[in-house]
Amino acid sequence: GTDKWENPWLAIGLNEDSIPVYIEKAFAIATQKADPRIGLVYNQHLAMQPAAWEKIKSTVLYLRKKGYRVDGIGWQAHLNDRANVALNPEALQYLDSLITWAHAHDLAFHITEFDYKITGRWDAQTAEKQAQAYANILKVLLRHRDEGLVTWNTWGLQDGNNKYTNGHRYMFDEQLRAKPAYYAVQKVLEHPDDLMPVFGDSGPAK
């Protein structure tokens, strides 16, 4: 389907409104057939590129206008130290505004998969960078916990040597020893209202 991602479904084509047919069909079938107690989530694999997420927003609103049920937005947050989304104040502010938008439209916001891969040398400095990345994303999420549903899921727990566990990306090392990221997450959960360091001096986006 595309040389950018493993997506053969685009071969089905676009509908008359230029929405990929496979997306509309998926939500049409799920709206008709799925147990209403099961949430239907538009789950997306991106960083925090505003142009892409704005397109997702418009697609979700389009699906709802067509009468299909969409209960939430999901983010597969596979991050790394090259993009530095989790350490970039502007990207964090955009994530904050995205969650605000979701709740304003009665949508849950789910981080469906989270990891933070280290592409270079693993040492005490990069371990602390990873810990701050874990903490920042969770802090932004918890800012909105009283406004609507938010969830956070890790993609895995233990580092390893295959393509899904390499890069020291999880909260526990190969011997299942807790890393700084684990203690950073623990601290955020224990003190969820101490959220100021996320955005620096500029404050959160409104």
Side-chain angles (χ1 to χ4, degrees):
T2 172
D3 62 355
K4 301 298 183 185
W5 190 244
E6 300 168 4
N7 184 5
W9 301 105
L10 290 173
I12 299 174
L14 305 178
N15 69 14
E16 67 278 4
D17 295 312
S18 299
I19 301 296
V21 171
Y22 79 93
I23 292 177
E24 182 174 0
K25 281 186 175 294
F27 279 92
I29 293 169
T31 298
Q32 296 167 4
K33 303 292 186 180
D35 188 322
R37 295 172 296 180
I38 296 173
L40 303 184
V41 177
Y42 191 118
N43 191 34
Q44 187 65 23
H45 181 288
L46 293 168
M48 271 295 127
Q49 304 98 326
W53 282 104
E54 293 303 315
K55 195 167 186 177
I56 289 167
K57 289 180 186 179
S58 65
T59 302
V60 168
L61 296 179
Y62 173 88
L63 292 169
R64 282 185 159 182
K65 187 175 181 179
K66 296 277 284 189
Y68 307 135
R69 183 162 61 90
V70 185
D71 301 307
I73 295 175
W75 179 31
Q76 294 177 220
H78 299 298
L79 307 181
N80 62 65
D81 57 352
R82 290 179 299 177
N84 276 333
V85 168
L87 302 179
N88 181 324
E90 289 184 5
L92 291 167
Q93 286 180 328
Y94 187 76
L95 172 61
D96 183 75
S97 69
L98 181 60
I99 301 171
T100 295
W101 181 90
H103 288 162
H105 290 83
D106 196 27
L107 291 159
F109 190 89
H110 307 277
I111 294 181
T112 55
E113 301 176 13
F114 185 86
D115 64 286
Y116 188 88
K117 183 178 180 179
I118 302 299
T119 59
R121 180 179 177 182
W122 176 253
D123 55 23
Q125 183 177 1
T126 53
E128 289 302 324
K129 178 187 290 187
Q130 182 186 66
Q132 189 62 55
Y134 267 81
N136 282 352
I137 296 296
L138 189 56
K139 285 177 182 181
V140 174
L141 199 68
L142 288 177
R143 281 175 49 80
H144 299 273
R145 68 192 188 278
D146 295 326
E147 302 165 8
L149 179 62
V150 291
T151 68
W152 183 91
N153 301 275
T154 181
W155 196 36
L157 289 173
Q158 182 183 8
D159 294 337
N161 295 315
N162 68 46
K163 67 178 183 177
Y164 299 116
T165 62
N166 65 359
H168 306 279
R169 66 182 74 201
Y170 299 126
M171 291 186 288
F172 295 87
D173 69 13
E174 294 88 340
Q175 286 75 47
L176 279 176
R177 295 173 299 198
K179 293 157 56 180
Y182 170 82
Y183 296 107
V185 167
Q186 182 184 51
K187 184 177 180 180
V188 171
L189 292 174
E190 289 176 348
H191 305 284
D193 295 313
D194 182 19
L195 304 177
M196 289 304 293
V198 174
F199 299 103
D201 295 332
S202 60
K206 298 296 183 182

